[in-house]
């Protein structure tokens, strides 16, 4: 009887040790997952909100925010950088009448008929020139690209055309009718450090009221 009791105790102790070992293994595996390097990602709205001084008065001058920069013209030809200017709670590159403009609102507001959202980048082409957000991640990876174009000035105008390029290759394009709440584009593509992605808004016959919100998420995949 004593032998049987000791065997039961040993069995219980062994079971406890196995359970403790399993718990320790789970914690170790969980820690490995938690400490693993996070996926590399670039989000246009998140990144522009990291501009020094955002959202009120910037201590920033330039044409690039991290991996993003702001241009006008036709992809495949020499592109002029847009000139940076700032006002209280508004950061912008370019001129709507000549080059097109990229606007980063420091707060949500309505200007004439356009509804701007804090941190959400807006593109407005000029009468003759597309306006462009360029991404140059300087990375070698497969990436997942997700972009959303949305008309934020539905009260006038005739809509815009949007195009996404990898270098000079069109990855996707479409038309946003006036008042359209958004077009979503997604794709997977491989990139190397020399590659760039371009997110373009082009005018139609009427360039007025062409404020188009753009947000982009680019995520490197394993």
């Amino acid at each position: 009887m004593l032998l049987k009791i000791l065997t039961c105790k040993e069995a219980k102790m062994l079971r406890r040790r196995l359970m403790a070992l399993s718990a320790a293994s789970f914690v170790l595996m969980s820690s490995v997952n938690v400490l693993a390097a996070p996926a590399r990602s670039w989000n246009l709205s998140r990144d522009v909100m990291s501009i020094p001084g955002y959202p009120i008065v910037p201590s920033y001058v330039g044409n690039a925010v991290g991996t993003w920069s702001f241009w006008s013209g036709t992809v495949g030809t020499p592109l002029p950088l847009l000139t940076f200017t700032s006002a209280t709670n508004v950061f912008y590159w370019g001129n709507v009448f000549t080059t097109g403009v990229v606007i980063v609102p420091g707060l949500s507001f309505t200007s004439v008929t356009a509804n701007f959202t804090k941190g959400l980048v807006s593109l407005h082409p000029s009468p003759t020139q597309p306006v462009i957000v360029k991404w140059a991640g300087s990375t070698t990876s497969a990436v997942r690209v997700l972009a959303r174009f949305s008309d934020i000035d539905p009260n006038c105008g005739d809509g815009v055309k949007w195009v996404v390029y990898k270098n000079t290759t069109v990855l996707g394009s479409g038309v946003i009718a006036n008042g359209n709440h958004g077009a979503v584009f997604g794709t997977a593509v491989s990139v190397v450090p020399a590659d760039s992605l371009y997110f373009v808004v082009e005018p139609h016959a009427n360039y007025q009221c062409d404020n188009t919100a753009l947000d982009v998420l680019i995520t490197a995949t394993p």
Side-chain angles (χ1 to χ4, degrees):
M1 180 65 69
L2 179 61
L3 180 61
K4 183 176 181 180
I5 293 172
L6 291 174
T7 301
C8 289
K9 287 183 177 179
E10 289 175 352
K12 290 179 180 179
M13 291 178 64
L14 180 60
R15 186 164 58 249
R16 291 193 188 102
R17 288 174 182 171
L18 289 172
M19 291 175 65
L21 180 60
S22 296
S25 299
F26 176 78
V27 170
L28 179 61
M29 292 174 66
S30 299
S31 298
V32 170
N33 290 335
V34 168
L35 297 175
R40 291 171 295 154
S41 66
W42 301 265
N43 176 244
L44 178 59
S45 290
R46 178 195 65 197
D47 294 345
V48 296
M49 287 192 287
S50 70
I51 295 172
Y54 183 88
I56 302 173
V57 178
S59 55
Y60 160 89
V61 176
N63 299 91
V65 179
T67 58
W68 311 94
S69 54
F70 311 106
W71 309 73
S72 67
T74 302
V75 172
T77 66
L79 297 175
L81 278 163
L82 298 182
T83 302
F84 174 72
T85 312
S86 67
T88 303
N89 295 118
V90 180
F91 306 68
Y92 60 97
W93 292 260
N95 184 298
V96 70
F97 301 109
T98 56
T99 62
V101 64
V102 176
I103 300 172
V104 179
L107 49 71
S108 297
F109 68 96
T110 298
S111 176
V112 189
T113 56
N115 300 306
F116 295 90
T117 300
K118 178 179 178 179
L120 185 58
V121 174
S122 171
L123 284 66
H124 194 305
S126 77
T128 59
Q129 294 287 332
V131 66
I132 301 166
V133 172
K134 175 184 175 181
W135 176 85
S138 299
T139 186
T140 299
S141 180
V143 296
R144 180 70 185 173
V145 181
L146 185 63
R148 181 182 177 90
F149 299 82
S150 182
D151 181 10
I152 62 171
D153 194 347
N155 297 295
C156 55
D158 61 354
V160 299
K161 178 181 179 181
W162 61 268
V163 190
V164 178
Y165 293 85
K166 174 187 171 183
N167 302 324
T168 56
T169 299
V170 174
L171 298 179
S173 64
V175 172
I176 299 178
N178 186 50
N180 188 289
H181 290 295
V184 176
F185 167 77
T187 191
V189 63
S190 295
V191 295
V192 297
D195 289 331
S196 297
L197 301 178
Y198 299 91
F199 302 87
V200 181
V201 172
E202 300 180 2
H204 276 169
N206 180 354
Y207 86 104
Q208 295 177 337
C209 305
D210 278 353
N211 280 298
T212 304
L214 168 67
D215 199 13
V216 183
L217 174 64
I218 298 173
T219 305
T221 59

